[in-house]
Amino acid sequence: MELVVATAVFAVMGVLAYGGLQRVLDAGAGVRTGHRQLAELQTAFTLLRQDIHYAAPRPVRDELGDRRPVFVGAGDDLLAELSTQAVAPDSWEGDPGVRRVAYRLRDGVLLRQVWAGLDRARGAVPREMPLLEGVTDAHARYLDDGGQWLERWPPAGGETQLPRGIEFSVRTDRFGTIRRVWVVG
């Protein structure tokens, strides 16, 4: 009889220990997921800040040879497209000169696109780097020389100028809305 009682007590303790261990493992997985998402968010804002800080007033030509503005902010899925000094660790091999980068929101993912050169050849495809997943909304505004915030860039006649500043906001389920404002160039 004592053996049956001891076995029953041991079984109950084992079930309780397993439940506690499972909760600890689940909490650890949640912490690791949160840490990964926070690291992605920090990386995205660091790259964006670097690209905006090192913005270069260099216009480019598209695949058809037409001039593109120095800085483009379309307000839709294109948050910013600009020429920037290649200081980021993921830049193309070779000369660390000026590169063309773009930030887009596509299917809930914030992407950074980098072209191999400034002036695009036919069929040129940018290298895409997913920066942040689970983005429910991203928005950018652009500060002009008169101190006005614009929803699109460039303004009429401003194809060769950089905005003075950019306000960038991103909303995720985990972190809510995060807004940053940077001086351009």
Side-chain angles (χ1 to χ4, degrees), residues 122-152:
R122 285 189 189 253
V125 177
R127 184 173 59 180
E128 291 187 345
M129 176 184 180
L131 295 177
L132 185 60
E133 296 179 358
V135 177
T136 56
D137 186 40
H139 183 74
R141 295 188 318 159
Y142 318 95
L143 184 64
D144 69 6
D145 287 336
Q148 298 295 315
W149 286 102
L150 306 175
E151 299 296 318
R152 301 175 79 74

Side-chain angles (χ1 to χ4, degrees), residues 54-114:
Y54 291 105
R58 164 63 158 82
V60 296
R61 296 200 179 270
D62 65 13
E63 293 85 355
L64 301 176
D66 296 330
R67 290 182 76 86
R68 294 216 11 111
V70 169
F71 188 104
V72 178
D76 302 321
D77 72 325
L78 177 61
L79 302 167
E81 180 183 319
L82 64 146
S83 301
T84 185
Q85 294 291 326
V87 295
D90 66 333
S91 60
W92 292 90
E93 299 293 327
D95 179 29
V98 180
R99 299 286 184 258
R100 192 70 172 182
V101 298
Y103 288 86
R104 295 183 181 277
L105 180 63
R106 185 183 305 143
D107 299 326
V109 178
L110 180 64
L111 298 171
R112 180 177 188 253
Q113 298 176 316
V114 181

Side-chain angles (χ1 to χ4, degrees), residues 8-31:
V9 168
F10 183 72
V12 168
M13 288 176 49
V15 167
L16 292 174
Y18 178 76
L21 177 64
Q22 189 62 44
R23 282 191 293 276
V24 167
L25 292 174
D26 290 344
V31 167

Side-chain angles (χ1 to χ4, degrees), residues 29-47:
V31 167
R32 282 189 297 279
T33 299
H35 178 72
R36 179 186 52 80
Q37 290 173 340
L38 181 59
E40 287 175 354
L41 181 68
Q42 290 172 331
T43 299
F45 278 119
T46 298
L47 286 172

